[in-house]
Amino acid sequence: MSDSLQGRLRGKSALVTGSTSGIGLGIAEALVAEGADTMVHGFGDAASIEALRKRLGARGVRVGYSGADVSSAADVVAMIEHATRELDRVDILVNNAGIQFTAPVDEFPVERWDTIIAINLSAVFHAIRAVLPQMKKRNWGRIVNIASTHGLVASTHKAAYVAAKHGVLGLTKVVALETATTGITCNAICPGFVLTPLVQKQIDDLAAREKLTGAQAQARFLGEKQPSLEFATPEQIGVLTAFLCSEAAAQIRGAAMPVDGGWLAQ
Ligand code: NAD
């Protein structure tokens, strides 16, 4: 959790999509630690989400919750309206919700392609489109898109995910250029592997396929891509997001920042 910049986002309101789990949760925690009123978002059971809302709220900020399904454009727009109503405004939008599915391209189920493009790419467009007018009115905003190393390079069996994440980086650059003379910035973070449910499923599949123990599958998984042989963490991505939301980052625009244990250096 961020402890070096505490309180720098006091008075700002943030919406972090997909923050009931994994990386998004790390980001919501970092923004709350900086004092931002924050709307958490995503799926999960009601009791744990309420416990999360209370735990974050105990840090002296307002914390709301949205369960909008971001595979629907209408739900995305309603989510922005809901956050604006509940927290008075959305100054910081973190587009993080995302899913994965793996299969060779000629066997990739069409409905999986459509859903991944909807959640991992189109939802980012719909949310930015809906939030920009109010950011422009205040001449201040921060948009952080959680892309991936797969926004810059490919891996086999991830056609929809890689296409969506490359698209997110393109969209990030366009929004950064269109807002370049304003107080709004738009950037992307490109995590390598982070041990979240999204990645754990791929490690479990590898273990089952190759008859490996969990530890062996994890080592193989990292060894194929991530030179540090260590996972990046939601906390590290949270702190970088909070930095991108700070005044110090006002001239970082349209960037794709890796947190990848050296993956993209190869
Ligand atoms: P996760 O599965 O732990 O969390 C995903 C979040 O998105 C959850 O809160 C879930 O409820 C929400 N979500 C999924 N579909 C949704 C929908 N239709 N509507 C609303 N909410 C929905 O995953 P994670 O690993 O934390 O991934 C978060 C982001 O980081 C994703 O965009 C992912 O592509 C990206 N990423 C992850 C890794 C990694 O190694 N874990 C690496 C690079 C990029």
Side-chain angles (χ1 to χ4, degrees):
M1 166 116 21
S2 161
D3 49 19
S4 54
L5 303 170
Q6 293 213 349
R8 293 207 189 172
L9 299 176
R10 205 158 286 287
K12 303 293 188 200
S13 293
L15 165 63
V16 184
T17 70
S19 46
T20 52
S21 169
I23 293 172
L25 178 53
I27 294 170
E29 289 188 346
L31 297 182
V32 163
E34 298 294 347
D37 293 330
T38 298
M39 177 154 274
V40 293
H41 160 268
F43 299 149
D45 79 273
S48 2
I49 290 170
E50 184 51 22
L52 168 66
R53 215 180 58 74
K54 286 216 174 98
R55 180 165 67 76
L56 296 178
R59 304 196 61 150
V61 297
R62 287 185 291 167
V63 178
Y65 167 68
S66 159
D69 180 350
V70 296
S71 67
S72 141
D75 265 40
V76 174
V77 174
M79 170 186 73
I80 298 288
E81 287 166 0
H82 176 193
T84 306
R85 248 189 346 267
E86 197 154 325
L87 303 178
D88 303 322
R89 54 214 267 160
V90 177
D91 302 298
I92 294 167
L93 169 67
V94 183
N95 288 302
N96 165 79
I99 58 167
Q100 176 63 283
F101 182 82
T102 59
V105 69
D106 50 341
E107 294 167 21
F108 212 93
V110 171
E111 62 282 4
R112 294 278 189 174
W113 168 276
D114 288 344
T115 309
I116 291 180
I117 297 298
I119 293 172
N120 293 17
L121 176 58
S122 298
V124 181
F125 161 72
H126 293 302
I128 292 173
R129 184 174 185 278
V131 86
L132 260 182
Q134 59 166 297
M135 289 181 173
K136 283 183 175 168
K137 261 190 215 144
R138 292 188 293 269
N139 196 32
W140 200 92
R142 293 288 187 268
I143 298 168
V144 180
N145 298 323
I146 306 306
S148 168
T149 46
H150 284 119
L152 290 160
V153 294
S155 294
T156 55
H157 299 176
K158 295 186 176 176
Y161 188 87
V162 168
K165 295 299 186 181
H166 276 66
V168 167
L169 292 188
L171 174 61
T172 301
K173 291 179 206 170
V174 172
V175 176
L177 290 179
E178 290 185 7
T179 54
T181 59
T182 75
I184 302 162
T185 71
C186 180
N187 291 290
I189 295 176
C190 298
F193 287 134
V194 181
L195 193 56
T196 66
L198 181 146
V199 157
Q200 188 62 52
K201 181 180 179 307
Q202 297 172 63
I203 294 173
D204 294 344
D205 291 349
L206 177 66
R209 205 168 52 244
E210 306 279 331
K211 302 196 171 24
L212 303 172
T213 65
Q216 287 168 330
Q218 194 165 301
R220 169 97 64 92
F221 200 74
L222 283 169
E224 279 173 9
K225 299 286 180 186
Q226 200 142 307
S228 67
L229 304 179
E230 286 181 16
F231 291 105
T233 67
E235 291 75 15
Q236 291 164 347
I237 292 162
V239 172
L240 176 57
T241 302
F243 172 71
L244 287 172
C245 294
S246 72
E247 292 311 317
Q251 289 310 324
I252 300 178
R253 292 171 184 268
M257 308 187 86
V259 184
D260 68 350
W263 180 330
L264 292 167
Q266 298 166 102

